[in-house]
Amino acid sequence: MPFELTILEWSAYADGLSQRADWLQWAAGSAPLPRPIANTVPALAEMPAMMRRRVNRLGRLACQVAYWCPPAAGAPMVFASRYGDADRSLALLGDLVQGQPVSPTGFGLSVHNAISALYSIAQGHCANTVVVAAGRASAAAALTEAAALLADGAAEVLVVYYEAPLPRIYAEFEDQPGCEYAWAWRVALPRHGDPEAPTVRLSADEIKSVTDTTAELWPTGLAMLHYALRKFASMRCSAP
C-alpha cells in the first residue's frame, strides 16, 4: 500500500561526518563510503554516566543521533538495524564454546532491542517502541513501520537506523560494503497546503527503488540517508 513521509528533522553520524553541513556536502559531492570503523565515537554526554558505561560503540552512535533528533513527547519510536550488536553476541557465543559462564548483563545487552531500551530508560520514554530487522530491507522496513504508526494516529515517529560491519569471522557472509554509521529522522505525514512544513518527502516507490538499486554498492541504510540528503540539497538550491 503506497505511503508518503515528511522528514521533520534529521541527524547522522559516521567517520568524519557528524555535523549537518558535513553530511550535506558529502551528499552533494561524490559521497564516498565512510571508513568501515569510525576513528572516534560520540561522547554521548547527554546520557547519565552510569548508563553510558553500558553502551558500546554501535549503541553510542545510535543513541547519539537519537539525542540530536529528540522525538516529541509521547511520540513512538522505531529502531532498526540489519545485524544489531553482532560483536557482543559473538563474544557470548565464544564464552559458551569455552565453557565459561555467560554474563546475564552481557546477554541482556546483546538482544536486538537493547539499544532502544537503554535510550528509552535514559530519556524516561514510555511510549511505543518497535525494533525491526529485515535483512537488506531493514531501513525500508523501519520506514514502513513508521508509516503504519502514523496511519494509526501518531502525530510523528522517531526512526533510528544504525549499522556496523560484521565481525571478521562472519565477513564471508557480508553481501554489502560494511560501514559503521547511524541516522535518526523525525517523520510525519505530509502537511499539504502548510507553507511552514518541510517539503522533503519520501514515497514508498522511492524507498523501494533505493533498496533495490543500491544493494550491491551501498549499505542500504546509508543509501537511504544519501538519497534523502540529496533531496534536502536540491530543495535548498531551488529555494528563492
Side-chain angles (χ1 to χ4, degrees), residues 38-235:
N39 277 329
T40 59
V41 295
L44 200 59
E46 299 90 339
M47 182 174 281
M50 288 299 292
M51 183 167 292
R52 187 171 61 239
R53 62 193 295 269
R54 305 176 67 190
V55 183
N56 69 348
R57 289 183 62 92
L58 184 59
R60 280 179 176 258
L61 268 64
C63 290
Q64 186 65 80
V65 296
Y67 273 111
W68 285 343
C69 189
M77 302 190 300
V78 178
F79 279 63
S81 177
R82 181 175 184 180
Y83 300 119
D85 194 350
D87 278 314
R88 199 187 293 267
S89 297
L90 182 62
L92 289 171
L93 291 174
D95 290 339
L96 286 172
V97 168
Q98 296 173 21
Q100 300 295 322
V102 175
S103 163
T105 299
F107 174 77
L109 295 175
S110 73
V111 296
H112 210 63
N113 67 336
I115 291 173
S116 67
L118 288 171
Y119 176 76
S120 296
I121 293 169
Q123 286 289 78
H125 182 272
C126 299
N128 184 21
T129 300
V130 181
V131 184
V132 300
R136 288 183 176 183
S138 293
L143 297 174
T144 301
E145 186 67 31
L149 290 165
L150 293 170
D152 199 38
E156 66 175 66
V157 178
L158 176 67
V159 180
V160 180
Y161 191 84
Y162 50 99
E163 207 65 81
L166 283 171
R168 187 182 301 275
I169 195 171
Y170 290 147
E172 63 181 289
F173 302 107
E174 189 75 88
D175 59 0
Q176 293 183 312
C179 183
E180 192 175 54
Y181 66 95
W183 52 257
W185 296 352
R186 284 175 53 222
V187 299
L189 292 175
R191 300 172 182 177
H192 300 288
D194 182 355
E196 299 300 321
T199 58
V200 177
R201 297 173 184 163
L202 287 175
S203 68
D205 287 342
E206 287 176 290
I207 293 168
K208 183 178 186 304
S209 175
V210 172
T211 300
D212 291 346
T213 60
T214 63
E216 304 299 332
L217 303 175
W218 288 71
T220 49
L222 192 61
M224 195 75 69
L225 175 65
H226 176 258
Y227 184 80
L229 294 183
R230 295 276 292 190
K231 296 193 77 169
F232 269 108
S234 65
M235 182 188 71

Side-chain angles (χ1 to χ4, degrees), residues 12-34:
Y13 192 98
D15 184 69
L17 297 165
S18 58
Q19 304 298 317
R20 289 190 187 186
D22 298 332
W23 278 105
L24 291 170
Q25 184 178 9
W26 169 83
S30 60
L33 286 177

